[in-house]
Amino acid sequence: MRLKYLLILLVSIIALLFAGCNDDDVVPEETDPDTDTSFSIPTYDDDYSSIASWSYRSQWNLANVHDPSVAYYDGYYYMYGTDASYGNEAAGHGHFQGKRSTDLVNWKWVGGPFYDPPSWVADSLNAIRSRMGLDAIAEDNISYGYWAPVVRKVTVGGQEKLRMYYSIVIDNFIKTGAVNTSANFDGSWTERAFIGMCESTDPAGAVWEDKGFVTCSSSDRGLDYSRSSYTGDWSAYFYYNAIDPTYIVTPEGDHYLIHGSWHSGFALLQVDPASGKPLNTLGEPYASSVSELTARYGVRIGTRSASSRWQGSEAPEIIYKDGYYYLFMAYDGLDIPYNTRVVRSTNIEGPYLDITGRNFTNGRGDCYPIVTHPYKFNLSYGWVGLSHCSVFKKEDSDDWFYMSQGRLPENVGGNAYSNAIMMGHVRRIVWCPASPDEPDNLWPIALPERYAAVPDYGTITKDSLVGTWEHINLKYSFGQQDVATTLNLNADGSMTGALTGNWSYDVTNKQLKLGDVIVCVEREVDWEASPRCVTFVYAGTQKSLNTTYWGKMKK
């Protein structure tokens, strides 16, 4: 009787969890229901416009997320991001608001570090303007933007705390100090951005201590801040744009801040571990040459195009793993075409090379692999604007995760503003071989479906992969979603549909070989199914492919 009861219970639980799933092999028969009772698939709607208002913030979960950064502290993953929300509903309620989670699936809102602009920003701005021979801008007339913080756990004086570097952008013209509008255009570029720093031992209570100025946008053109036209002039006064910081502690214990967006590329600035401030005196944020400027404001470690002052890469994020510094970055505009690339180096200063050996430090063109890109599976509108990532390791594990916002495409459901819907996406990273001949040359790719903490249901067998898949050739196509086509993995080892030839599977390493491309296989939730259910997914690339393969088993 006990055996019969257990079998009935097993079948009932699987039926509830996988209603709408047709593949019996997704969950092996040996699944133990006693380890599965706490698992539930997220049911929230990706179109959160009905609960976007501030009064619903306790229900947001991952709604209203933009440029996230994640760090683990005191039992929680804390996430903070740019001041952005659908309909600007969060405006006036503090800056760099956050969320926290214990499982990376369910997130609760937490307050940010401050409500008013730090006083040091106006003081620093006007002190620089005074030395440039410019009039001060009245504090009430300064136009502030609050962008892209990075948060890390550090130990200072034996005490663990969260350290946040944040960006504050000043959107007034340099020459007259007028607010940036076409009617006010005065023939100059807009003012500089600043990076500040704050720390907390009580992020849950939103208690932060502001530490003030760290660095600011800097120019190699001295006092020549002129601009030929309000639009169409991409020559950029600033060499380094002081936004989008990322922060790393090397294995040797050195601390570095990397920042930059568009303009001329990414700067590497060493900071003091205790204070978090630059090790060396920066001096004036303008110089007469690149060499004079970079000697003080940091060496350039990467640029998409060495000849351009407006080169379409931003949002650096850096991690260290197995002897390499992996530098992730966003390409292109954030509304639709945003996509993510990664390069790596054995030295923090570079050179940073892509999977083919292209030198990103020297600006040798577009780099690969593609980590994320606008995409669309069947039965859904898909996602765009998918970049500006945080990359972090799950506590007490070697599992790496990618988090960014995803935007809905334009005019979804008749909503003219649907592209302003920004849902936080958490994805597992898989580390895939660059080619079949280089099994240990591993590169990080984000999985095509979002993380839902699917339990380990045991071995993924070759037989369980036989069937129909939705395959996406995740290639660079500016402003376009890559769409899914049908791929059949046949029992005789052949492929038909999106790919042809033969396939094989390495069960030990969970590596599926599709022709000469190796992809990594995992279980995740099929977010496009109705109801959502667990399925198999894959992600991978090949070093000469200039594209990434994404796929999920069709239900």
Side-chain angles (χ1 to χ4, degrees), residues 200-251:
S200 177
T201 57
D202 183 17
V207 179
W208 292 79
E209 181 182 2
D210 192 29
K211 301 291 187 176
F213 175 92
V214 176
T215 189
C216 66
S217 298
S218 52
S219 177
D220 61 333
R221 294 180 172 174
L223 301 182
D224 182 9
Y225 44 77
S226 61
R227 186 177 185 180
S228 61
S229 63
Y230 185 64
T231 59
D233 182 353
W234 307 110
S235 60
Y237 171 59
F238 295 111
Y239 188 83
Y240 288 143
N241 193 11
I243 68 169
D244 297 351
T246 185
Y247 180 48
I248 191 169
V249 180
T250 70

Side-chain angles (χ1 to χ4, degrees), residues 477-524:
S477 181
F478 182 85
Q480 302 296 316
Q481 289 176 285
D482 292 322
V483 299
T485 55
T486 298
L487 171 65
N488 298 303
L489 298 186
N490 304 314
D492 64 0
S494 65
M495 300 184 296
T496 56
L499 302 172
T500 57
N502 297 315
W503 69 278
S504 60
Y505 181 61
D506 177 350
V507 67
T508 301
N509 293 310
K510 294 190 290 185
Q511 292 178 353
L512 173 63
K513 188 177 180 185
L514 304 174
D516 62 352
V517 178
I518 294 176
V519 297
C520 299
V521 180
E522 295 290 350
R523 289 186 180 90
E524 278 296 356

